[in-house]
């Protein structure tokens, strides 16, 4: 379980700069899971084909600092339990943290492989089998290293009723994007799952080439 870093505690009037209207909430339902009982909401983008799924729990209030995570879809990690990365474990640990706290939200962003799609991700894995790291593999395939955008994720959190957020993330780009979109980040909650041997190299690359805030003591 990660340590917590307080960064700023000024939460006065909220989210005046938030732009809204680019996503639509389509349906909300109950979703009991192995890690607790949640609500699940479906959103769609009004500016692209993108769809979003949000798991949340508890009352969503703008004035209450609330645990949130933007989780980027990783089919291999989230569904198949791949040990090449730490995505599935981060997702499930986040669900446990929110369940324990009794309040929080996870926006599940369906941008597989940092936006390159599942087929390209597996092409990149094939290159990684020959020794390339996650960044080199994308470059060799002529693909961007990171295509993700987070603006609509911020809008979804606002639409759910949030403003002051405690973001569970090690990715400084996500933090900056949520803040630029208008949310108030009152805390960054770091998350480090125990790295498997397979994931150690991947996590080192994330830290060294993608600027993730990891200390990697265990790997
Ligand atoms: Zn992954």
């Amino acid at each position: 379980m990660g340590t917590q870093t307080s960064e700023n505690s000024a939460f006065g009037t909220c989210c005046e700069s938030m732009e809204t209207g680019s996503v639509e909430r389509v349906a909300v339902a109950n979703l009991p899971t192995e890690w607790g009982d949640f609500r699940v909401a479906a959103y769609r983008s009004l500016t692209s084909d993108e769809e979003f799924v949000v798991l949340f729990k508890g009352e969503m209030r703008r004035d209450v600092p609330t645990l949130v995570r933007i989780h980027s879809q990783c089919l291999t990690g989230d569904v198949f339990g791949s040990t090449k990365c730490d995505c599935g474990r981060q997702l499930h640990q986040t669900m446990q943290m929110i369940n324990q706290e009794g309040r929080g939200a996870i926006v599940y962003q369906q941008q597989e492989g940092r936006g390159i799609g599942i087929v390209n991700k597996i092409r990149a894995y094939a290159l990684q089998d020959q020794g390339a790291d996650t960044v080199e593999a994308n470059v060799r395939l002529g693909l961007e290293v990171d295509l993700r955008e987070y603006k609509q994720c911020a809008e979804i959190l606002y639409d759910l009723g949030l403003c002051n957020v405690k973001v569970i993330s090690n990715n400084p780009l996500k933090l900056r994007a949520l803040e630029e979109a208008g949310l108030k980040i009152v805390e960054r909650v770091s998350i480090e799952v125990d790295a498997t041997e397979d994931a150690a190299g991947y996590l080192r690359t994330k830290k060294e080439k993608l600027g993730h805030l990891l200390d990697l003591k265990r790997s």
Side-chain angles (χ1 to χ4, degrees):
M1 198 67 72
T3 51
Q4 305 201 343
T5 325
S6 274
E7 268 153 13
N8 92 63
S9 55
F11 36 95
T13 40
C14 261
C15 300
E16 305 96 340
S17 60
M18 180 64 67
E19 284 173 39
T20 57
S22 84
V23 294
E24 171 186 42
R25 194 191 316 166
V26 181
V28 184
N30 291 322
L31 194 72
T33 78
E34 280 183 45
W35 295 280
D37 291 339
F38 292 85
R39 302 273 287 158
V40 62
Y43 278 85
R44 77 179 147 225
S45 168
L46 298 173
T47 57
S48 72
D49 293 336
E50 200 170 349
E51 296 177 326
F52 304 85
V53 174
V54 187
L55 271 193
F56 65 103
K57 186 174 181 98
E59 193 192 352
M60 301 286 102
R61 293 180 50 142
R62 299 212 195 284
D63 59 329
V64 177
T66 301
L67 282 175
V68 302
R69 174 171 174 80
I70 309 301
H71 189 87
S72 302
Q73 173 178 312
C74 173
L75 181 78
T76 45
D78 298 342
V79 176
F80 300 133
S82 161
T83 54
K84 273 177 78 73
C85 60
D86 56 348
C87 305
R89 296 216 237 169
Q90 284 200 16
L91 175 63
H92 300 142
Q93 187 168 312
T94 302
M95 289 171 69
Q96 285 171 301
M97 287 162 80
I98 288 173
N99 190 48
Q100 251 169 33
E101 179 129 326
R103 186 196 303 264
I106 302 170
V107 179
Y108 194 81
Q109 182 186 40
Q110 300 182 68
Q111 295 190 7
E112 180 74 40
R114 296 191 299 267
I116 63 175
I118 185 66
V119 169
N120 282 325
K121 186 169 106 171
I122 291 169
R123 289 171 70 208
Y125 276 6
L127 288 177
Q128 290 172 36
D129 286 344
Q130 296 158 26
D133 71 32
T134 180
V135 171
E136 289 160 358
N138 283 31
V139 171
R140 275 168 60 187
L141 289 170
L143 301 166
E144 294 291 331
V145 170
D146 198 337
L147 288 168
R148 292 172 295 181
E149 292 210 17
Y150 305 110
K151 204 162 166 288
Q152 290 187 314
C153 298
E155 194 184 322
I156 287 168
L157 291 171
Y158 182 79
D159 182 79
L160 273 181
L162 297 178
C163 174
N164 288 287
V165 292
K166 303 189 284 184
V167 185
I168 304 171
S169 178
N170 301 319
N171 184 345
L173 286 178
K174 278 188 193 170
L175 295 164
R176 204 177 316 141
L178 293 183
E179 205 149 47
E180 278 170 9
L183 293 176
K184 300 269 188 294
I185 298 181
V186 294
E187 187 176 322
R188 176 179 86 85
V189 180
S190 70
I191 178 164
E192 286 205 36
V193 295
D194 292 333
T196 60
E197 210 174 303
D198 293 334
Y202 170 75
L203 294 175
R204 205 172 310 115
T205 304
K206 265 191 174 177
K207 179 182 168 80
E208 290 167 6
K209 294 195 174 174
L210 301 175
H212 282 219
L213 307 166
L214 297 166
D215 61 23
L216 303 183
K217 273 183 221 126
R218 298 183 202 90
S219 51

